[in-house]
């Protein structure tokens, strides 16, 4: 056994393991209501095109992955692919969610 292997083994044996007692997944918005933030991020992408996301459109999106809901938004709001593609909507939405 090399010096490095011995050092790594000792370090690992002296490092306490992280003891997880529970993990909570909030996939449906039960704990955190992020719908308003998500809607605002979508609207920021749509503003340059003078389009507004309405509840009638928004309710069609709930629970769908980005490749599906972005196509619905582009189609429902009458945007052409020259104006905004579903992929551009998704990347703009994500950028708006992660920007301060």
């Amino acid at each position: 056994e090399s010096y490095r292997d011995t050092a790594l083994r000792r370090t690992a044996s002296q490092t306490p393991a992280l003891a997880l007692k529970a993990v909570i997944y909030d996939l449906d918005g039960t704990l955190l209501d992020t719908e308003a933030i998500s809607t605002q991020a979508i609207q920021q992408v749509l503003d340059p095109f003078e389009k507004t996301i309405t509840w009638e459109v928004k309710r069609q999106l709930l629970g769908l992955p980005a490749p599906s809901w972005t196509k619905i938004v582009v189609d429902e709001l009458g945007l052409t692919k020259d104006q905004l593609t579903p992929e551009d909507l998704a990347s703009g939405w994500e950028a708006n969610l992660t920007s301060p």
Side-chain angles (χ1 to χ4, degrees):
E1 181 175 46
S2 72
Y3 173 77
R4 180 179 176 275
D5 291 337
T6 303
L8 287 174
R9 184 176 42 78
R10 285 185 185 159
T11 302
S13 67
Q14 294 171 358
T15 304
L18 178 61
L20 295 178
K21 297 186 190 251
V23 176
I24 298 174
Y25 292 96
D26 181 27
L27 301 177
D28 63 355
T30 302
L31 300 176
L32 296 173
D33 181 8
T34 56
E35 281 305 314
I37 295 167
S38 179
T39 301
Q40 182 180 15
I42 295 168
Q43 188 57 55
Q44 288 173 329
V45 178
L46 298 174
D47 282 344
F49 307 102
E50 299 181 355
K51 299 291 184 174
T52 302
I53 187 158
T54 63
W55 173 244
E56 289 75 26
V57 174
K58 181 68 178 185
R59 70 181 179 167
Q60 297 177 56
L61 316 180
L62 299 175
L64 296 177
S68 299
W69 71 254
T70 54
K71 182 171 180 354
I72 292 170
V73 170
V74 169
D75 291 346
E76 289 289 323
L77 297 181
L79 293 162
T80 67
K81 294 196 191 255
D82 291 336
Q83 292 175 303
L84 183 68
T85 65
E87 296 79 17
D88 290 339
L89 174 56
S91 63
W93 167 74
E94 189 172 320
N96 290 337
L97 284 177
T98 58
S99 66

